[in-house]
Amino acid sequence: MGVYALRRLAQSLVVLFVTSGLVFAGLYLVGDPVEILVNPNADQEEKLRTAAALGLDRPLLHQYAIFLKGAFSGDLGRSFVFGQPALEVILERMPATLELAFLAMLISVALGIPLGLYAGLRPHALGSRAIMAGSILGFSLPTFWVGLLLILVFAVQLGWLPSTGRGPTEAVLGVPLSLLTWEGLRHALLPATNLALFKLSLIIRLVRAQVREQALLDYVKFARAKGLPRSRVVGVHLMKNILIPLVTVIGLELGSVIAFAIVTESIFAWPGMGKLVIDSIFQLDRPVVVAYLMVTVFLFICINLVVDLLYSALDPRVRLGAAK
Amino acid sequence: MSAVLAVEGLVTEFSTREGILRAVDEVSFSLAKGEILGLVGESGSGKTVTGFSILGLVDPPGLVASGSVRLGGEELVGAPEEQLRRVRGKRIAMIFQDPMMTLNPVLSIETQMVETVLAHERVGKAAARERAIEALGRVGIASPAERLSQYPHQFSGGMRQRVAIAIALLHRPEVIVADEPTTALDVTVQGQILFEMQRLARESGTALVWITHDLAVVAGLADRVCVMYAGRIVEAGAVGQVLDAPMHPYTRGLLDSVPAAAAPGARLHSIRGSTPSLARLPAGCAFRERCEKADDACASQPPANDREGRRVRCHHPLC
Amino acid sequence: MNRDSPLARFARDFSESRLALAGLGLLAGVLLLALFAPWIAPQNPYDLAKLDLLDARLPPGSKAGPGLTLSMYALGTDGQGRDMLSAILYGLRVSLTVGVTSGVIALTIGALAGVLAAYLGGRFEQLLMRVVDIQLGFPAILVALILIAVLGRGTDKVIVALVTVQWAYYARTARSAALVERGKEYIEAARGLGLSPARIVLKHLLPNALPPLIVVATVQVAHAIALEATLSFLGLGLPTTEPSLGLLIANGYEYLLSGKYWISVYPGVALLATILSINLVGDQLRDVLNPRLAK
């Protein structure tokens, strides 16, 4: 297990490295680095000075080295719009995005697993068919459009929930979170539900497919032949086998949800990383865009790594090696 | 001697695209205490479904349509699920063919054995664990306490089957239904398991229904044998009598097909034709189209013919 | 058509789901509307001369001006007086064109790459699959975002982004299918007979990879359409001269809070109908073409 973990870690570092290289190459070769990293509103003289200071007249590899060195020490450029280090700007808004993503995943898992279980165990019941039809609808609905509809219905027409913004925050271990207050939850409910819809449908379908596949296997029959109550056959035997691939998917979907928050945050004016990066793209605040990409890629790599390790920890066949 | 298991007119049907198929067609047999019954047939003869039907484990689209299964006087067909659950694993247990697939790969052996104990008795976990260790020891697994915490994939095929046997014996059931438990194992291991099962059955007085396609196994192990073809029992009787002097042409065909029965260098015998699919059974005797003795009389279902403790379904029995 | 020919059997299996048949009907309707948009639309929404600003933001059913072939604005008008029905029909056309085009290109690239990887094996296969795995570990929207940020805006760049996001799925599916096929004996026989690799790949491996690829294609095209709509909504997608449904929805965003819902809602319905119908068909295709899940 230790060797496996080390190998995955090494792989992750390679991926991080390669991605940084791609982002770097993309920005420096395709775009005009002066345009990208220097404030476009600066005059010609200042541009030249900044360009020299940033080492843009040096050979490409040298520049990449400088970039990497900066990256390691947390310096990914300075935001034009905010006048702060880009990384700082991103990190300030990360908790907002993470709590939205977390709430969305919670909703989709808490609803998705029971619904998927039911649909898998009783595939021909009316409820199951409704659930499956609903799930196709769920992942066909364009997320951003649903967001608009949610605002229209719940905020404009019914006035139950606020349409934009994040609720009041409280600091927990130094990190400002808004989910701990009722007001905060009210603000987060619509955007989180919006984000959750697609994932909910995916999870329902995945759980159902897994249940239908696993329920036919011999170990289920054997468990029943031993006289185990149905609750245990489903709740322990079936669930443990389903949970293993499920955990993998949930982990990967978490990364996807963090990325997709870009859309939801824009619609609901939720002050997270996503909204920031869209604004930055339009305001040509490219250091922030670079910082966002690097941070998100890093997040994904971490998530992928954790999921991999979790998988091997959960599945005893992987954990303990092959048969004797 | 009253029967510990009495199966009477059991019918199990499957709803398929091609219509309703009878996988088990009026099967009847009885089992006395401590008796070993061999249920022999080719694949597709309905022997496995018979086993499942006895325990009420037939899943849709299959259904036990009619008949009776009495376990020591208790009727199992049509019984409520909770009653069946209490009987399964405690009074009647089942062993499946492939132990890799029947033991849950992600749960430890301890979990799978302890839960079986706790499903039927109110004992503490520690006591259940002790029972498990003792059961593993009885089936010949060395260092049972250590092996408890391991997982199925860490055992060899033969060991896994021993674990399955141990689980079956946990509550000292009256009947064990064993569905081809040695087919998936190496020949050498097969012999060991057979020996173990015979010994354990004799020791605990457990009756055994041994489902197999292998006549040799039946010859060495069983007291009585039932031969199945296309869902029906075509011949039944004491093992010695049936194998020495078979009455049904199919049984004769099976015996002749065993390679050891042929003279060295001679052509191997095989029953001409092939097993019919259940959807396309000939009217009357299902074996008609492959039987040398078939004639017009065979267009009607042959009645069960009981003679001197033996039973045969044939219009033209061999003796 | 022979009763039991593969095509007849396929049609019969497919028709078992009424939902899928409904989806197929809906899809056919959507495609026809998009195809004939220039002829059935009451107005050409790109012709700025015909637009009357005084007719802006009218609710559905309002009386129409002279620039229309209908007497009323069936679905209302947008912020510039454009007839919503016409805008939606043309938008449908754009969305479908971009989605299907990118799907076809991605399919071609991915299928060839995947099948080649299965055939050649060795380091090429390892490298390709490594790249595929890494790319599939990143969410599509992020990859698309990076590309648009680097390449800039424009229809061709959006298509490049969509192709890049999709090709990996096709490659992985094609490779799996081709691997199964390659293991079969007749391929060994073909190689022994000296058939050229190109022939083996094109005539044997590729056709057998087709059924799973088709299933993947339906899902991917639906995703591509949704992704393009999302990008356009964010302002990072197609240019405003060729408004896709996403852009139409975005245009209506500002009017939402004042209750002028039709500018955003109806294009969304059209988008939903498109994606939903593709998914319904694709779902049933998967059940029919995948033997493992046969009920």
Side-chain angles (χ1 to χ4, degrees):
Chain A
M1 169 82 167
V3 175
Y4 182 70
L6 275 176
R7 216 158 32 111
R8 285 294 288 113
L9 200 66
Q11 269 180 4
S12 309
L13 283 175
V14 168
V15 173
L16 192 60
F17 204 64
V18 167
T19 317
S20 70
L22 282 173
V23 171
F24 182 86
L27 290 168
Y28 278 72
L29 291 177
V30 178
D32 176 4
V34 179
E35 282 299 308
I36 292 171
L37 293 172
V38 178
N39 192 332
N41 296 324
D43 61 29
Q44 193 61 11
E45 208 185 278
E46 193 181 325
K47 278 191 187 172
L48 285 171
R49 245 189 305 128
T50 326
L54 289 170
L56 292 171
D57 44 356
R58 310 256 185 83
L60 199 64
L61 271 170
H62 198 159
Q63 291 190 44
Y64 185 48
I66 299 177
F67 173 71
L68 279 183
K69 195 168 79 125
F72 273 118
S73 58
D75 176 12
L76 289 168
R78 239 181 142 67
S79 159
F80 307 142
V81 174
F82 296 94
Q84 287 168 273
L87 189 60
E88 206 176 279
V89 175
I90 294 279
L91 289 179
E92 265 173 22
R93 285 164 183 67
M94 202 163 81
T97 300
L98 288 181
E99 72 176 5
L100 194 64
F102 171 72
L103 188 60
M105 282 312 291
L106 191 67
I107 293 176
S108 47
V109 168
L111 286 178
I113 294 185
L115 286 176
L117 257 179
Y118 177 75
L121 291 173
R122 300 201 192 297
H124 301 295
L126 196 62
S128 289
R129 291 197 213 258
I131 291 174
M132 290 315 289
S135 71
I136 299 191
L137 190 65
F139 74 71
S140 302
L141 284 167
T143 307
F144 62 95
W145 186 66
V146 173
L148 294 183
L149 283 184
L150 285 175
I151 293 183
L152 192 64
V153 171
F154 287 98
V156 176
Q157 305 275 30
L158 294 173
W160 288 351
L161 294 167
S163 63
T164 54
R166 188 184 181 201
T169 62
E170 281 170 14
V172 173
L173 299 173
V175 175
L177 294 177
S178 77
L179 291 182
L180 300 170
T181 62
W182 175 238
E183 190 58 32
L185 271 175
R186 278 187 77 222
H187 276 87
L189 199 60
L190 279 183
T193 309
N194 187 207
L195 258 185
L197 193 63
F198 192 83
K199 302 306 166 192
L200 175 65
S201 311
L202 275 181
I203 290 181
I204 288 178
R205 296 172 74 80
L206 182 68
V207 170
R208 175 179 183 261
Q210 282 289 315
V211 167
R212 286 186 70 194
E213 195 181 299
Q214 294 284 326
L216 298 172
L217 294 182
D218 274 353
Y219 72 82
V220 172
K221 241 191 172 94
F222 188 63
R224 291 181 64 204
K226 294 195 300 189
L228 298 181
R230 197 149 179 88
S231 57
R232 193 173 167 93
V233 175
V234 171
V236 173
H237 284 255
L238 210 57
M239 274 311 285
K240 184 111 197 267
N241 273 283
I242 291 175
L243 231 48
I244 294 173
L246 196 64
V247 155
T248 315
V249 169
I250 290 177
L252 295 176
E253 290 304 319
L254 181 63
S256 167
V257 159
I258 292 177
F260 219 85
I262 294 176
V263 179
T264 308
E265 288 179 14
S266 303
I267 297 176
F268 290 90
W270 184 269
M273 293 193 293
K275 180 165 191 311
L276 176 67
V277 82
I278 294 291
D279 292 342
S280 304
I281 289 180
F282 284 113
Q283 291 165 332
L284 297 175
D285 194 356
R286 291 203 177 100
V288 173
V289 178
V290 173
Y292 174 85
L293 289 174
M294 294 307 294
V295 166
T296 340
V297 167
F298 180 72
L299 260 175
F300 289 146
I301 290 178
C302 288
I303 292 178
N304 279 3
L305 194 63
V306 167
V307 163
D308 258 354
L309 294 177
L310 207 61
Y311 184 94
S312 55
L314 280 178
D315 188 339
R317 288 166 288 194
V318 176
R319 180 163 36 110
L320 296 168
K324 284 193 250 216
Chain B
M1 182 167 49
S2 72
V4 81
L5 179 69
V7 177
E8 188 75 42
L10 188 62
V11 175
T12 303
E13 295 173 338
F14 280 77
S15 309
T16 69
R17 275 196 191 161
E18 289 143 326
I20 297 189
L21 306 179
R22 281 200 166 189
V24 178
D25 195 351
E26 307 266 341
V27 162
S28 307
F29 60 83
S30 68
L31 202 56
K33 181 170 151 71
E35 190 174 29
I36 301 183
L37 174 75
L39 192 59
V40 179
E42 300 167 272
S43 51
S45 57
K47 52 194 202 297
T48 301
V49 182
T50 305
F52 285 146
S53 304
I54 294 175
L55 274 98
L57 287 175
V58 177
D59 289 328
L63 181 66
V64 174
S66 64
S68 148
V69 174
R70 299 186 83 84
L71 181 65
E74 189 177 340
E75 176 62 60
L76 295 183
V77 173
E81 182 65 24
E82 177 55 26
Q83 181 184 349
L84 286 177
R85 184 202 73 75
R86 268 183 268 131
V87 160
R88 288 185 203 130
K90 186 158 175 68
R91 295 182 59 199
I92 178 166
M94 192 160 180
I95 301 174
F96 292 32
Q97 182 174 331
D98 184 353
M100 187 61 233
M101 306 303 291
T102 55
L103 292 174
N104 193 331
V106 302
L107 295 176
S108 71
I109 300 295
E110 175 170 355
T111 309
Q112 301 191 52
M113 292 189 80
V114 165
E115 68 182 355
T116 315
V117 176
L118 296 178
H120 297 286
E121 285 177 36
R122 286 188 184 288
V123 294
K125 269 223 172 128
R129 196 167 176 275
E130 281 309 308
R131 288 263 290 271
I133 295 178
E134 186 245 346
L136 285 181
R138 256 198 304 156
V139 293
I141 292 184
S143 346
E146 279 131 46
R147 306 226 74 176
L148 259 193
S149 54
Q150 290 182 332
Y151 288 83
H153 70 273
Q154 292 171 290
F155 288 65
S156 69
M159 300 284 260
R160 283 196 287 264
Q161 202 58 299
R162 286 176 197 259
V163 172
I165 296 171
I167 292 179
L169 289 172
L170 273 173
H171 291 285
R172 299 186 190 262
E174 296 157 48
V175 180
I176 292 182
V177 177
D179 186 3
E180 304 218 50
T182 53
T183 308
L185 303 173
D186 290 337
V187 177
T188 41
V189 181
Q190 269 188 35
Q192 290 169 5
I193 300 285
L194 281 171
F195 180 74
E196 287 294 332
M197 290 259 20
Q198 199 167 30
R199 178 179 67 87
L200 290 165
R202 299 269 183 253
E203 271 178 18
S204 42
T206 308
L208 211 52
V209 176
W210 194 277
I211 301 175
T212 180
H213 64 275
D214 191 344
L215 279 171
V217 163
V218 162
L221 179 71
D223 303 315
R224 287 185 27 244
V225 64
C226 289
V227 180
M228 276 189 84
Y229 187 79
R232 301 169 189 152
I233 294 189
V234 296
E235 181 162 4
V239 118
Q241 291 180 322
V242 170
L243 294 186
D244 285 338
M247 292 202 283
H248 198 283
Y250 176 60
T251 319
R252 170 92 265 161
L254 277 183
L255 284 167
D256 289 342
S257 308
V258 172
R267 255 183 121 205
L268 287 177
H269 180 269
S270 67
I271 309 175
R272 63 153 189 210
S274 49
T275 331
S277 115
L278 284 177
R280 278 176 266 281
L281 285 179
C285 176
F287 191 60
R288 252 172 77 197
E289 281 153 15
R290 306 170 73 187
C291 184
E292 280 149 5
K293 294 186 171 279
D295 63 13
D296 291 333
C298 302
S300 69
Q301 256 279 37
N305 194 338
D306 289 325
R307 235 198 297 163
E308 299 152 9
R310 297 177 63 175
R311 163 182 288 206
V312 67
R313 271 187 202 277
C314 184
H315 288 296
H316 310 288
L318 296 175
C319 58
Chain C
M1 183 158 42
N2 182 354
R3 260 224 102 205
D4 253 5
S5 74
L7 202 59
R9 233 180 316 135
F10 171 76
R12 208 174 39 230
D13 287 338
F14 186 85
S15 315
E16 272 181 6
S17 163
R18 274 180 303 187
L19 210 55
L21 283 176
L24 192 60
L26 186 60
L27 184 61
V30 163
L31 287 173
L32 284 173
L33 281 178
L35 198 62
F36 292 111
W39 290 277
I40 36 178
Q43 177 193 68
N44 181 350
Y46 301 147
D47 189 349
L48 293 167
K50 292 253 176 66
L51 298 180
D52 190 352
L53 260 179
L54 290 174
D55 276 350
R57 297 180 293 276
L58 291 174
S62 314
K63 193 163 177 311
L68 247 72
T69 57
L70 288 181
S71 63
M72 70 168 175
Y73 292 118
L75 295 174
T77 58
D78 72 356
Q80 274 130 348
R82 216 177 263 126
D83 171 42
M84 283 310 298
L85 180 60
S86 312
I88 290 176
L89 286 173
Y90 274 79
L92 202 59
R93 210 174 149 81
V94 172
S95 292
L96 274 169
T97 311
V98 170
V100 172
T101 310
S102 64
V104 167
I105 298 177
L107 175 73
T108 314
I109 297 179
L112 277 175
V115 169
L116 265 175
Y119 184 77
L120 294 173
R123 281 223 293 243
F124 175 70
E125 179 183 19
Q126 289 224 11
L127 185 65
L128 189 75
M129 286 305 118
R130 187 64 75 193
V131 170
V132 164
D133 280 339
I134 292 178
Q135 200 194 310
L136 290 179
F138 291 112
I141 189 161
L142 201 66
V143 174
L145 205 71
I146 295 180
L147 281 169
I148 303 271
V150 165
L151 297 171
R153 321 230 329 248
T155 310
D156 47 347
K157 312 215 171 54
V158 169
I159 293 189
V160 167
L162 291 176
V163 168
T164 312
V165 160
Q166 296 179 65
W167 80 275
Y169 289 102
Y170 292 116
R172 179 190 271 180
T173 310
R175 173 185 166 258
S176 305
L179 270 185
V180 167
E181 211 54 33
R182 179 163 157 265
K184 293 189 182 169
E185 284 164 1
Y186 76 90
I187 296 289
E188 280 303 308
R191 286 172 86 160
L193 284 173
L195 287 184
S196 78
R199 202 185 156 84
I200 294 180
V201 166
L202 288 175
K203 275 209 89 172
H204 298 290
L205 294 183
L206 205 53
N208 279 293
L210 228 48
L213 277 175
I214 292 175
V215 173
V216 172
T218 52
V219 174
Q220 287 306 312
V221 168
H223 273 198
I225 293 177
L227 186 58
E228 176 273 311
T230 309
L231 288 172
S232 299
F233 175 79
L234 291 171
L236 296 169
L238 297 174
T240 51
T241 48
E242 285 176 65
S244 73
L245 294 172
L247 195 59
L248 293 178
I249 299 176
N251 285 342
Y253 181 35
E254 53 188 293
Y255 303 109
L256 212 59
L257 292 172
S258 57
K260 296 183 177 47
Y261 62 92
W262 57 90
I263 311 179
S264 279
V265 169
Y266 290 128
V269 173
L271 188 61
L272 174 63
T274 311
I275 299 177
L276 184 64
S277 58
I278 298 179
N279 277 328
L280 282 173
V281 170
D283 230 32
Q284 184 67 353
L285 270 182
R286 182 170 24 91
D287 283 348
V288 168
L289 290 175
N290 186 344
R292 206 157 57 107
L293 289 164
K295 291 165 201 127

